[in-house]
C-alpha cells in the first residue's frame, strides 16, 4: 500500500489544481466583462446563420447567410437607392424582410451572471427572440448599436436558439423618412457584429468621461446592484507606454448613479496632431474583493465653444479641414472592418485633413482609429432632410451618445442633416454627455454656429466672412465625377480664412459609393446609380483622383511663399506654419535635385538624383513665417528640377513641392535630338506651301494656314487639321516663304487674334512653330485706348490626331494627373509616364485607372506621344503651356442634368495658355477668382504673346 501514496497524493494535487483553475476562471469571469461573438467580428470573418428572405432574389427558402453582412451583397432581396422617390421616379422602395436563426450553447459559468446581447447595427426594424421569448421592444433605426438583457432567457444546458426578424423598411414612418429617403444606398440585414457581454450581477454598467487638459476628470458612473460599502479604484496608463501615469485613486460609491472626480498629474494631451490616448482601469470593489472591472480608452483634452469667437481645443482656436465620409465598401455595403477604417483614416491624414463628418454614427472601430491616429469627428444622428419622431429620436440619441461619448475624437454632435432635426431633441445630447459638446443642425445658421451648405465664393449678406457667427460649412466643394473637391478649393479656403470666425469646412464626399451588383450579369459589375453617388475624391476601392493631391497641397500645414528659381537662387525659402499646435522644428524638410538624361524623351531612361540633403528647420510656431535655406552647390545647377519634401513628427509625408531650375529653352536645347542632314527646301504650289527635308514633308494651305499633310518618307503622319485658333478669331492675310541658311521657312500672317505663325523646317526634319498673338489692338475701344475681350476660358491652338493610335505618353512637366484651371496645385514637375486609358472619372469602376490619360496637362516642357509607328515628340520653349490630350468620354449612365466636364475645344491635341475651370456643384461663376475666365487686353505697342514649339516626327537616336 505504501507504494500507492505518491499516486494518491498526485491525484489530490490534480483535483486541487482543477478546483483552483475553476475558481480562477470564475474570479476572472466575475471581474471583467467577457465578450463572446455570435457572428463574425467583421464581414471578412463571418459566421453562417440560417436565413430566409421574403422577396427579391433567392427569396422564400431557408438557406444560410454570412453574418455580419448586407443581404443584397450576399445575393438576396432587391437593391434600392435612397433617391427612389425623386430622380429615380419609383413608386416605393424594396421592402423585403429577413429571418435569421442561430444556435449557441451557454456554459455553466454563465449562471448568476448578467448576460446582454448586442447588435452593432441592423437595418432596419429588428425583433429579437431567445428560446422563443421576445428579448425586448423591437428596435427601430438602422445605424445604431442596441442591446437586450437576456440573462433570464438563457439555458445552461443544451442549445439556445436565437431568432432575429429584420424588416428592411421600417413600420415607423419617421424612421423611413429619416433614413430611407436619402442620398445613399438602402440596404437590409444584420451588417455589424452580434455579441454577448457577460459580467457579474454587481457591475459597472456605463461610464462617461470628461478628462480636461489640466488633468481634472469627472466621470458619470452608472452601476447595477451596488452593495453597501462599495468603492471604485481608478488608475490610468498611457496607451503604448510602459507604466501607469500615477497611483490609483479611490472613491466611495453610495448609489447606482454617481458623479466621480479625479485629478491626474503630468498628463499628455490629445489632439489630431499628437493623439495621446490613455486607458482607464476602473474597479468596483468591496473590501479587497474586486466585483467588476472595466477598461476604457480616452484622451485628455478641453473643448471650449465660444460664440462669436471660435471653437477651442486645449486652448487653441481650431480650423477643421474635413470631408464627409459614409461607411461603405463595394463588396459589402455598410459592413466593414477595422482594416478599412485604418486605411480610410490614413488616407484622410495623407490629404492633411484633421476632421471628418458622416450622416450617421460610423463603426465604433472607425472612431477608435480616429482617436489613435488623430481626427476631429462630427458625430451625427441620422436624419437626411427629415427628422425622427420625438420618442424614436430620444432613444437613438441616447444610444449614440452612450456608445461614443468617451471618444476624444468626437468634438461635436450633429442632429440630422439639412432639416432632419427637432430643436427639442438637442437637450437629450446634453443630458447624456458630461462634456457638453455643442449640438449643430448641419446646413443651418443655428444657435451661433453657421454651417451653411454649398456656399458661393461671395456668401453672404451678414454671413460667413461678412457675418458675426462662427462658421464652418458642413458640406462644400461637391465632387460628382471630377467636379469639385480640389477645383476651386484654394480660393474658397483663402477667402474663408480672412475671417477670425472661420472654424473649417467639410467637403463632399470621401469615396464614390458604387457597390457590387450581385444581381447583374455581364461586364458591368458596380453601380453608383448613375450620377447620384460618384461623389468621392477616391474611387470605391479608394483609388486616388487628381483632387486628392490638390487638397493635400492646399491643406498642407507647411506652405511655401511663391518661388522662381533662376541663376541668382541662393537656397532661401520662406515657409509658413499652418498647424494648430505643432512647432515646425519637430518636422523634417529634405531636398533632392533630379537630372534628366539628354536621351530621356527618345528612350526608356529615367531621371536620376544628383544631390540631396536636409533643410534645417528652426523654431516656427503655428501662425509664424520664417526663412529657411538649403545648400546650393555647383552640382545644383546641373540638375533639371528641385524637389522638397516635408514629413511630420510621426514620419507621415506632409507634401512635395517642385521647381524647375532652368527655363524651357534650356531644356529644348538639351533634350531635342539634332540630325546631320545638310539642307531643307521650300516649294510654293498654287494653294499651298511645301516644306521639305530628307525625311519630312509638310504641306501648309495658303488660304487657311492649316497643315494639310505631313509625310515621314512615304508614310502619312496623321497630325493635321491645325493650327486652328482657340478662344480667338484669325484669318489668313498673307503667306511668305524664304530660306534662312539651310532651313525652309513659311510665315503665315493673320488678321485677328494671331499676328503670325512662322514655320521653320530644319534639314534633319525638326519643325519649329513660332506663334505671335494678341499684338495689334486694332481700332481703339475703352477710355484708355485698349482693346478688350472678356470671358476667355480657352485660348491657344489645336490640331487633329487619331486617338485610336495612341498607346501612351512620357513627358517632362507637371503631373502626373490632369488639371483644370482651378485645380493645378498638387501636380509636380517630373519625368512622368502613363499608358493610354479611357477612364471616366467616377464611372469606369470595372477598370478604374488613375491618373486619367485624357485632358489638360500643365507646364509642358517636353513630351513623347507614343503612337506605334507614328510616335512623335513636342518640345516647348514657352512657359506655362497646357497640353490638351483628347476629350474625356462623357459618363454613360449619368442622370439627366448631370454635367461631368466643361466643354473642350475642337480637335484632339491642343497647346493652350488658358483652359476652363471645373465647377463644384455651384457653377463656375459662383467660384473664386482662379476659376473665372480670363480676358484679353491689348494696347498699341505691346510685344504680343508668343508660343514657341518644336515638333519631331523622326524619333532618331543620338
Amino acid at each position: 500500500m505504501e507504494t500507492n501514496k505518491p499516486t494518491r497524493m498526485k491525484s489530490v494535487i490534480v483535483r486541487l489544481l482543477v478546483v483552483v483553475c475553476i475558481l480562477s476562471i470564475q474570479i476572472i469571469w466575475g471581474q471583467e466583462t467577457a465578450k463572446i461573438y455570435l457572428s463574425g467580428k467583421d464581414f471578412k470573418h463571418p459566421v453562417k446563420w440560417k436565413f430566409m428572405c421574403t422577396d427579391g432574389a433567392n427569396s422564400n427558402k431557408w438557406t444560410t447567410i454570412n453574418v455580419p453582412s448586407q443581404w443584397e451583397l450576399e445575393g438576396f432581396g432587391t437593391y434600392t437607392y435612397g433617391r427612389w422617390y425623386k430622380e429615380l421616379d419609383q413608386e416605393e422602395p424594396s421592402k423585403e424582410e429577413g429571418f435569421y436563426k442561430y444556435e449557441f450553447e451557454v456554459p455553466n459559468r454563465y449562471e448568476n451572471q448578467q448576460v446582454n446581447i448586442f447588435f452593432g447595427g441592423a437595418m432596419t426594424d429588428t425583433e429579437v427572440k431567445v428560446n422563443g421569448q421576445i428579448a425586448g421592444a423591437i428596435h427601430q433605426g438602422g445605424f445604431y448599436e442596441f442591446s437586450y438583457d437576456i440573462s433570464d432567457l438563457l439555458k445552461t444546458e443544451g442549445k439556445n436558439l436565437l431568432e432575429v426578424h429584420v424588416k428592411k423598411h421600417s413600420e415607423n414612418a419617421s424612421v423611413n423618412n429619416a433614413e430611407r429617403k436619402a442620398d445613399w444606398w438602402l440596404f437590409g440585414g444584420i451588417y455589424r457584429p452580434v455579441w454577448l457581454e457577460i459580467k457579474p450581477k454587481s457591475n459597472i454598467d456605463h461610464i462617461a468621461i470628461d478628462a480636461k487638459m489640466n488633468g481634472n476628470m469627472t466621470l458619470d458612473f452608472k452601476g447595477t446592484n451596488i452593495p453597501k460599502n462599495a468603492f471604485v479604484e481608478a488608475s490610468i496608463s498611457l496607451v503604448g507606454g510602459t507604466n501607469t501615469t500615477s497611483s490609483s485613486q479611490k472613491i466611495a460609491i453610495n448609489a447606482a448613479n454617481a458623479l466621480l472626480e479625479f485629478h491626474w498629474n503630468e498628463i499628455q494631451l490629445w489632439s489630431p496632431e499628437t493623439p495621446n490616448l490613455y486607458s482607464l482601469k476602473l474597479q468596483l470593489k468591496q473590501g479587497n474583493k474586486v466585483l467588476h472591472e472595466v477598461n476604457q480608452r480616452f484622451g485628455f483634452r478641453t473643448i471650449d465653444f465660444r460664440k462669436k469667437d471660435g471653437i477651442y481645443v486645449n486652448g487653441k482656436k481650431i480650423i477643421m479641414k474635413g470631408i464627409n465620409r459614409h461607411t461603405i465598401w463595394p463588396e459589402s455595403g455598410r459592413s466593414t472592418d477595422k482594416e478599412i477604417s485604418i486605411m480610410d483614416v490614413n488616407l484622410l491624414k495623407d490629404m492633411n485633413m484633421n476632421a471628418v463628418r458622416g450622416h450617421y454614427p460610423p463603426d465604433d472601430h472607425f472612431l477608435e482609429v480616429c482617436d489613435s491616429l488623430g481626427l476631429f469627428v462630427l458625430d451625427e444622428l441620422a436624419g437626411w432632410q427629415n427628422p425622427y419622431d420625438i420618442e424614436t429620436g430620444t432613444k437613438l440619441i441616447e444610444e449614440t451618445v452612450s456608445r461614443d461619448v468617451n471618444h476624444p475624437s468626437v468634438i461635436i454632435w450633429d442632429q440630422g442633416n439639412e432639416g432632419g432635426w427637432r430643436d427639442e431633441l438637442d437637450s437629450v445630447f446634453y443630458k447624456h454627455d458630461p462634456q457638453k459638446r455643442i449640438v449643430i443642425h448641419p446646413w443651418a445658421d443655428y444657435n451661433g454656429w453657421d454651417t451653411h451648405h454649398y456656399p458661393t465664393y461671395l456668401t453672404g449678406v451678414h454671413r460667413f466672412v461678412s457675418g458675426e457667427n462662427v462658421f464652418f460649412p458642413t458640406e462644400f466643394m461637391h465632387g460628382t465625377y471630377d467636379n469639385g473637391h480640389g477645383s476651386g478649393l484654394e480660393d474658397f479656403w483663402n477667402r474663408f480664412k480672412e475671417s477670425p470666425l472661420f472654424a473649417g469646412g467639410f467637403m463632399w464626399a470621401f469615396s464614390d459609393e458604387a457597390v457590387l451588383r450581385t444581381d447583374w450579369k455581364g461586364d458591368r459589375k458596380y453601380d453608383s446609380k448613375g450620377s447620384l453617388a460618384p461623389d468621392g475624391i477616391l474611387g470605391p476601392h479608394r483609388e486616388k483622383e487628381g483632387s486628392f493631391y490638390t487638397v493635400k497641397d492646399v491643406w498642407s500645414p507647411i506652405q511655401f511663399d511663391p518661388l522662381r528659381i533662376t541663376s541668382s537662387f541662393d537656397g532661401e525659402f520662406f515657409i509658413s506654419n499652418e498647424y494648430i499646435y505643432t512647432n515646425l522644428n519637430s518636422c523634417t524638410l529634405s531636398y533632392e535635385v533630379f537630372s534628366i538624361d539628354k536621351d530621356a524623351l527618345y528612350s526608356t531612361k529615367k531621371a536620376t538624383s544628383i544631390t540631396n540633403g536636409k533643410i534645417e528647420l528652426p523654431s516656427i510656431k503655428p501662425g509664424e513665417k520664417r526663412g529657411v535655406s538649403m545648400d546650393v552647390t555647383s552640382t545644383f545647377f546641373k540638375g533639371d528640377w528641385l524637389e522638397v519634401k516635408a514629413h511630420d513628427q510621426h514620419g507621415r509625408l506632409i507634401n512635395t513641392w517642385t521647381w524647375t531650375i532652368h527655363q524651357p529653352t534650356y531644356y529644348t536645347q538639351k533634350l531635342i535630338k539634332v540630325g546631320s542632314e545638310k539642307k531643307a527646301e521650300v516649294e510654293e504650289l498654287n494653294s499651298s506651301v511645301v516644306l521639305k527635308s530628307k525625311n519630312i514633308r509638310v504641306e501648309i494651305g495658303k488660304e487657311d494656314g492649316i497643315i494639310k499633310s505631313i509625310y515621314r518618307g512615304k508614310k502619312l503622319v496623321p497630325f493635321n487639321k491645325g493650327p486652328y485658333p482657340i478662344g480667338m478669331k484669325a484669318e489668313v492675310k498673307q503667306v511668305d516663304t524664304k530660306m534662312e541658311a539651310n532651313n525652309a521657312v513659311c510665315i503665315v500672317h493673320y488678321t485677328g487674334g494671331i499676328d503670325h505663325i512662322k514655320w521653320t523646317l530644319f534639314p534633319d526634319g525638326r519643325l519649329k512653330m513660332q506663334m505671335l498673338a494678341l499684338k495689334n489692338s486694332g481700332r481703339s475701344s475703352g477710355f484708355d485706348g485698349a482693346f478688350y475681350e472678356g470671358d476667355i476660358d480657352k485660348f491657344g491652338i489645336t490640331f487633329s490626331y487619331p486617338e485610336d493610335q495612341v498607346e501612351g505618353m512620357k513627358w517632362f512637366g507637371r503631373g502626373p494627373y490632369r488639371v483644370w484651371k482651378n485645380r493645378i496645385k498638387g501636380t509636380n514637375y517630373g519625368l512622368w509616364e502613363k499608358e493610354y486609358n479611357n477612364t471616366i472619372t467616377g464611372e469606369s469602376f470595372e477598370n478604374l485607372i488613375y491618373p486619367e490619360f485624357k485632358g489638360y496637362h500643365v507646364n509642358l516642357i517636353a513630351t513623347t506621344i507614343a503612337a506605334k509607328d507614328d510616335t512623335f515628340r513636342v518640345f516647348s520653349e514657352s512657359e506655362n503651356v497646357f497640353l490638351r490630350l483628347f476629350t474625356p468620354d462623357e459618363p454613360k449612365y449619368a442622370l439627366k442634368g448631370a454635367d461631368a466636364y466643361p466643354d473642350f475645344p475642337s480637335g484632339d491635341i491642343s497647346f493652350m495658355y488658358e483652359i476652363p475651370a471645373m465647377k463644384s456643384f455651384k457653377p463656375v461663376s459662383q467660384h473664386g477668382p482662379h476659376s473665372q475666365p480670363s480676358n484679353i487686353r491689348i494696347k498699341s505697342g505691346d510685344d504680343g504673346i508668343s508660343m514657341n514649339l518644336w515638333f519631331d516626327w523622326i524619333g532618331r537616336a543620338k
Side-chain angles (χ1 to χ4, degrees):
M1 296 293 293
E2 292 296 326
T3 57
N4 291 331
K5 282 186 177 180
T7 302
R8 292 170 59 193
M9 181 62 69
K10 187 175 181 179
S11 177
V12 171
I13 292 172
V14 169
R15 288 197 298 271
L16 286 173
L17 287 174
V18 170
V19 171
V20 169
C21 287
I22 292 172
L23 289 174
S24 297
I25 291 171
Q26 289 176 338
I27 290 170
I28 291 171
W29 277 82
Q31 289 179 347
E32 297 184 22
T33 301
K35 189 172 184 178
I36 309 297
Y37 283 92
L38 301 182
S39 70
K41 291 185 178 181
D42 54 59
F43 80 98
K44 293 178 182 174
H45 307 91
V47 170
K48 295 283 188 185
W49 287 18
K50 292 180 179 179
F51 180 71
M52 182 179 69
C53 185
T54 62
D55 200 4
N58 295 316
S59 58
N60 295 309
K61 58 182 179 181
W62 280 99
T63 180
T64 60
I65 193 171
N66 290 322
V67 180
S69 70
Q70 309 272 201
W71 62 53
E72 296 86 350
L73 278 300
E74 295 291 311
F76 299 94
T78 303
Y79 285 81
T80 300
Y81 193 81
R83 302 287 278 183
W84 57 269
Y85 63 98
K86 196 168 183 180
E87 291 92 341
L88 300 177
D89 196 26
Q90 296 173 222
E91 290 187 5
E92 62 179 14
S94 54
K95 297 181 179 181
E96 67 269 16
E97 302 174 18
F99 291 87
Y100 296 81
K101 292 182 181 180
Y102 183 70
E103 291 183 331
F104 63 99
E105 294 184 354
V106 179
N108 290 333
R109 62 177 179 268
Y110 284 30
E111 286 187 325
N112 299 317
Q113 303 283 322
Q114 180 180 318
V115 181
N116 288 70
I117 187 168
F118 283 80
F119 290 78
M123 293 180 168
T124 297
D125 288 1
T126 307
E127 180 186 66
V128 179
K129 293 181 180 180
V130 177
N131 295 324
Q133 299 184 64
I134 297 291
I138 294 173
H139 185 271
Q140 295 180 322
F143 297 102
Y144 308 91
E145 180 180 297
F146 58 97
S147 64
Y148 301 100
D149 185 343
I150 60 171
S151 306
D152 297 334
L153 305 182
L154 293 174
K155 299 184 295 186
T156 56
E157 293 185 5
K159 293 184 177 181
N160 290 271
L161 176 62
L162 172 64
E163 297 174 278
V164 185
H165 178 193
V166 178
K167 293 183 178 180
K168 183 176 178 178
H169 193 76
S170 179
E171 295 294 330
N172 184 324
S174 78
V175 172
N176 292 324
N177 289 335
E179 297 181 8
R180 307 190 77 77
K181 279 188 173 181
D183 195 5
W184 57 59
W185 284 99
L186 309 182
F187 296 119
I190 303 172
Y191 67 100
R192 287 176 179 163
V194 181
W195 68 93
L196 302 178
E197 286 190 4
I198 304 98
K199 51 190 175 183
K201 292 292 187 181
S202 294
N203 62 65
I204 301 167
D205 181 49
H206 187 260
I207 56 173
I209 300 170
D210 183 14
K212 301 292 189 184
M213 62 181 292
N214 61 3
N216 289 341
M217 175 193 286
T218 58
L219 191 152
D220 280 357
F221 173 94
K222 293 182 179 180
T224 302
N225 297 318
I226 304 300
K228 293 182 179 180
N229 302 320
F231 63 93
V232 294
E233 187 170 320
S235 63
I236 64 172
S237 58
L238 183 66
V239 174
T242 56
N243 300 310
T244 56
T245 299
S246 63
S247 59
S248 299
Q249 301 180 37
K250 299 179 180 179
I251 295 179
I253 296 291
N254 299 315
N257 298 334
L259 182 65
L260 311 179
E261 295 183 351
F262 302 92
H263 179 79
W264 310 95
N265 296 316
E266 300 179 1
I267 47 94
Q268 298 182 38
L269 302 183
W270 184 94
S271 77
E273 296 168 23
T274 53
N276 296 302
L277 290 173
Y278 285 83
S279 179
L280 168 69
K281 181 169 75 173
L282 192 69
Q283 292 180 322
L284 176 64
K285 302 178 77 173
Q286 189 180 41
N288 293 325
K289 183 180 181 182
V290 178
L291 303 176
H292 188 215
E293 175 185 313
V294 297
N295 291 274
Q296 178 64 56
R297 286 202 322 175
F298 72 99
F300 285 97
R301 53 112 180 89
T302 298
I303 316 174
D304 190 3
F305 302 98
R306 305 176 190 175
K307 293 182 180 181
K308 302 186 185 302
D309 183 348
I311 299 171
Y312 290 75
V313 178
N314 300 334
K316 301 291 184 181
K317 185 184 287 190
I318 67 169
I319 292 179
M320 294 174 285
K321 302 172 180 178
I323 200 164
N324 288 269
R325 172 191 179 270
H326 283 174
T327 302
I328 196 162
W329 188 251
E331 284 74 32
S332 58
R334 306 208 189 284
S335 189
T336 66
D337 70 344
K338 194 167 186 177
E339 286 185 1
I340 291 173
S341 290
I342 292 171
M343 175 177 61
D344 285 0
V345 174
N346 273 312
L347 286 165
L348 293 167
K349 298 284 286 188
D350 286 346
M351 285 186 278
N352 289 312
M353 295 182 180
N354 64 7
V356 65
R357 173 195 176 225
H359 277 340
Y360 41 78
D363 293 298
D364 190 56
H365 51 69
F366 180 77
L367 294 179
E368 289 176 358
V369 179
C370 291
D371 293 341
S372 61
L373 293 182
L375 285 177
F376 293 129
V377 176
L378 275 58
D379 200 350
E380 185 157 309
L381 180 79
W384 201 86
Q385 299 186 345
N386 292 288
Y388 296 104
D389 61 51
I390 294 292
E391 181 180 356
T392 304
T394 299
K395 179 180 176 61
L396 297 179
I397 292 170
E398 181 179 357
E399 290 174 350
T400 300
V401 177
S402 177
R403 191 197 70 164
D404 298 343
V405 67
N406 293 321
H407 288 287
S409 57
V410 176
I411 64 167
I412 292 173
W413 303 115
D414 299 359
Q415 193 199 154
N417 173 68
E418 298 181 352
W421 55 71
R422 295 184 186 276
D423 292 356
E424 55 267 49
L425 287 177
D426 287 353
S427 61
V428 183
F429 288 95
Y430 298 123
K431 176 182 177 181
H432 299 285
D433 179 16
Q435 297 180 32
K436 301 299 184 272
R437 301 165 173 96
I438 58 169
V439 179
I440 63 169
H441 294 177
W443 94 347
D445 184 3
Y446 171 76
N447 196 26
W449 313 104
D450 191 348
T451 60
H452 176 63
H453 284 185
Y454 305 109
T456 68
Y457 179 76
L458 294 176
T459 295
V461 175
H462 202 61
R463 294 186 74 175
F464 275 43
V465 174
S466 304
E468 59 183 270
N469 286 335
V470 175
F471 66 97
F472 51 104
T474 41
E475 290 179 28
F476 80 130
M477 309 311 295
H478 197 291
T480 306
Y481 295 127
D482 205 21
N483 297 178
H485 295 136
S487 297
L489 174 64
E490 183 180 14
D491 281 344
F492 277 89
W493 202 251
N494 289 338
R495 174 161 172 78
F496 292 161
K497 286 197 301 180
E498 292 174 7
S499 171
L501 296 173
F502 179 50
F506 295 80
M507 294 185 292
W508 182 268
F510 176 71
S511 65
D512 293 334
E513 297 183 30
V515 297
L516 178 68
R517 291 297 297 256
T518 58
D519 56 339
W520 282 2
K521 309 299 179 186
D523 294 336
R524 189 179 174 211
K525 301 180 185 304
Y526 296 96
D527 185 8
S528 66
K529 269 294 172 273
S531 48
L532 289 177
D535 298 338
I537 198 168
L538 298 159
H541 295 100
R542 308 328 190 231
E543 302 90 342
K544 296 174 184 175
E545 297 180 8
S547 279
F548 181 97
Y549 295 97
T550 305
V551 172
K552 182 182 184 71
D553 194 342
V554 174
W555 279 353
S556 169
I558 295 178
Q559 291 290 328
F560 280 75
D561 274 10
L563 173 69
R564 180 182 177 92
I565 294 179
T566 66
S567 59
S568 59
F569 177 62
D570 62 0
E572 186 171 86
F573 309 88
F574 282 91
I575 63 173
S576 303
N577 182 353
E578 296 191 0
Y579 275 113
I580 301 171
Y581 308 96
T582 301
N583 192 310
L584 291 191
N585 60 14
S586 67
C587 300
T588 60
L589 209 60
S590 61
Y591 72 88
E592 196 162 6
V593 177
F594 291 89
S595 176
I596 303 173
D597 187 274
K598 62 182 181 299
D599 296 322
L601 274 295
Y602 296 83
S603 68
T604 59
K605 292 180 179 179
K606 310 292 185 182
T608 57
S609 172
I610 61 171
T611 187
N612 62 77
K614 300 291 184 183
I615 301 174
E616 294 299 322
L617 286 171
S619 174
I620 307 176
K621 298 177 182 178
E624 289 185 342
K625 177 190 291 187
R626 289 193 63 178
V628 298
S629 61
M630 59 171 281
D631 294 331
V632 178
T633 65
S634 58
T635 307
F636 180 84
F637 288 101
K638 295 178 181 178
D640 292 311
W641 79 88
L642 168 67
E643 177 183 276
V644 175
K645 288 187 174 182
H647 290 81
D648 69 12
Q649 60 189 306
H650 309 292
R652 187 184 299 274
L653 177 65
I654 296 172
N655 199 27
T656 302
W657 301 264
T658 53
W659 300 265
T660 53
I661 296 173
H662 306 282
Q663 302 308 308
T665 302
Y666 168 90
Y667 297 114
T668 298
Q669 293 173 355
K670 174 180 178 178
L671 298 174
I672 195 169
K673 298 308 169 189
V674 179
S676 58
E677 290 80 0
K678 300 302 182 183
K679 190 174 182 180
E681 299 177 3
V682 58
E683 179 183 0
E684 286 204 44
L685 305 178
N686 290 334
S687 60
S688 63
V689 171
V690 176
L691 306 178
K692 294 186 292 185
S693 70
K694 180 179 179 181
N695 297 307
I696 295 295
R697 180 185 187 275
V698 180
E699 184 176 0
I700 300 170
K702 288 183 176 180
E703 291 187 1
D704 54 15
I706 300 302
I707 293 176
K708 303 300 183 184
S709 65
I710 299 174
Y711 279 88
R712 184 177 66 247
K714 295 183 178 181
K715 187 176 189 311
L716 179 66
V717 176
F719 186 91
N720 51 37
K721 296 181 182 177
Y724 283 105
I726 302 171
M728 55 183 165
K729 295 179 180 179
E731 294 183 0
V732 173
K733 179 172 64 175
Q734 177 182 330
V735 176
D736 296 329
T737 62
K738 63 178 178 177
M739 293 294 296
E740 290 183 350
N742 293 323
N743 307 322
V745 176
C746 173
I747 303 173
V748 182
H749 300 272
Y750 297 86
T751 59
I754 300 176
D755 182 80
H756 71 268
I757 295 178
K758 179 181 179 181
W759 296 97
T760 304
L761 183 66
F762 287 73
D764 59 5
R766 292 173 295 138
L767 180 67
K768 185 175 184 179
M769 186 205 81
Q770 294 168 284
M771 180 180 75
L772 185 65
L774 307 187
K775 176 176 173 55
N776 300 309
S777 63
R779 184 179 295 277
S780 296
S781 63
F783 70 91
D784 59 356
F787 171 82
Y788 178 83
E789 181 72 33
D791 294 335
I792 304 297
D793 69 345
K794 293 180 282 289
F795 184 90
I797 54 174
T798 188
F799 300 85
S800 293
Y801 195 84
E803 182 179 329
D804 58 5
Q805 293 191 209
V806 175
E807 299 172 308
M809 67 180 293
K810 182 178 186 179
W811 80 104
F812 178 32
R814 288 172 68 175
Y817 281 82
R818 71 183 183 199
V819 300
W820 307 102
K821 178 177 181 176
N822 54 359
R823 197 189 74 186
I824 293 174
K825 278 206 165 188
T827 56
N828 279 297
Y829 285 102
L831 185 61
W832 304 105
E833 294 184 68
K834 57 183 171 183
E835 294 181 354
Y836 175 87
N837 65 69
N838 197 24
T839 294
I840 300 173
T841 310
E843 183 173 280
S844 303
F845 301 123
E846 289 71 35
N847 188 32
L848 201 56
I849 300 172
Y850 292 131
E852 303 94 334
F853 187 81
K854 299 193 285 188
Y856 299 107
H857 297 76
V858 67
N859 292 112
L860 172 71
I861 296 172
T863 183
T864 298
I865 306 297
K868 301 177 183 176
D869 293 336
D870 292 317
T871 293
F872 67 98
R873 293 159 184 85
V874 183
F875 303 83
S876 173
E877 288 189 344
S878 300
E879 296 187 70
N880 304 319
V881 172
F882 293 94
L883 169 64
R884 175 277 190 103
L885 273 180
F886 308 113
T887 301
D889 286 6
E890 290 287 337
K892 301 174 184 177
Y893 308 109
L895 300 185
K896 185 178 180 180
D899 188 9
Y901 310 111
D903 291 336
F904 274 71
S906 62
D908 304 298
I909 295 178
S910 311
F911 304 93
M912 304 170 67
Y913 281 140
E914 287 290 333
I915 63 171
M918 175 60 81
K919 70 172 189 176
S920 177
F921 198 59
K922 298 291 186 181
V924 167
S925 62
Q926 296 180 14
H927 281 227
H930 286 90
S931 300
Q932 301 312 311
S934 297
N935 58 70
I936 294 172
R937 188 175 180 84
I938 311 170
K939 288 190 176 183
S940 177
D942 287 348
D943 286 341
I945 295 171
S946 63
M947 180 184 289
N948 300 328
L949 304 173
W950 289 80
F951 298 88
D952 183 2
W953 287 283
I954 300 297
R956 68 190 65 74
K958 183 171 173 62

